[in-house]
Amino acid sequence: MIFVTVGEQLPFDRLIRTVDKWAADSGQEVFAQIGDTDLIPNTLKYKKFLEPVEFQEKFNSAELIVAHAGMGTIITALEFGKPILVMPRQAALGEHRNDHQFATTNEFVKLNYISAALDEAELISKLNNHVELVRCSNKTINMTPSSRLIQAIQDFIKK
């Protein structure tokens, strides 16, 4: 199952429409958290919002996460070792107040932690190869702070 999430702040209809179209053509099982929108997907199973426990269940059972380029979603995917394909929101399309999600995407792509699609055509292309994305992705992050970081913080506080 592929789990799509747009976060809780803003709808991201362009992402949902694109994945909905792809799911209809592919027959792949997809569940989406679509946010506060009037858009009704034709193919996707969906809910506007999920309770934390239900979100965690969907996240854990997914073979691939597809999402906006939100830090919380990216870090959660990396924490749990889930492959993630992100599409940043575009300010020019009214999807966000600025283009910070492009900067987030670029940095995580440089680190080879995520896959990214910058537009609908690229998203469909990458979804068509989602098995390869899943197979090649094994990136995780350690959520335990390093002793060096802890020491630096302690030193800063003592000043």
Side-chain angles (χ1 to χ4, degrees):
M1 185 264 296
I2 294 173
F3 177 50
V4 181
T5 179
V6 301
E8 294 194 7
Q9 293 182 4
L10 300 166
F12 193 5
D13 291 353
R14 183 169 57 101
L15 174 67
I16 298 300
R17 268 195 304 274
T18 304
V19 176
D20 191 41
K21 178 179 182 270
W22 175 80
D25 296 339
S26 73
Q28 180 71 34
E29 181 186 359
V30 181
F31 185 90
Q33 175 269 314
I34 65 171
D36 188 16
T37 179
D38 293 330
L39 176 69
I40 304 295
N42 295 315
T43 304
L44 304 179
K45 294 176 185 173
Y46 71 93
K47 278 190 171 180
K48 288 188 179 217
F49 298 101
L50 299 171
E51 293 298 321
V53 170
E54 189 177 10
F55 182 90
Q56 196 64 48
E57 288 171 358
K58 296 293 185 192
F59 208 94
N60 289 338
S61 65
E63 65 178 345
L64 175 67
I65 308 299
V66 177
H68 67 127
M71 286 297 296
T73 304
I74 292 171
I75 288 177
T76 301
L78 293 172
E79 181 180 5
F80 290 97
K82 291 291 182 178
I84 184 166
L85 171 59
V86 303
M87 185 164 82
R89 298 172 188 268
Q90 292 185 30
L93 299 176
E95 296 167 342
H96 219 307
R97 61 190 166 279
N98 59 41
D99 284 325
H100 72 277
Q101 287 196 357
F102 280 95
T104 300
T105 299
N106 289 335
E107 290 306 312
F108 278 99
V109 166
K110 280 186 213 173
L111 294 168
N112 198 31
Y113 280 131
I114 66 170
S115 295
L118 301 182
D119 60 33
E120 297 91 329
E122 189 175 13
L123 181 61
I124 288 173
S125 175
K126 291 201 174 179
L127 285 169
N128 284 334
N129 293 308
H130 78 280
V131 172
E132 185 68 13
L133 285 177
V134 170
R135 188 182 68 74
C136 293
S137 179
N138 59 357
K139 296 288 186 176
T140 59
I141 55 173
N142 184 348
M143 296 304 288
T144 305
S146 71
S147 58
R148 196 170 135 217
L149 174 61
I150 292 170
Q151 186 61 53
I153 293 170
Q154 288 173 340
D155 293 346
F156 177 79
I157 292 171
K158 290 177 185 175
K159 288 183 180 182

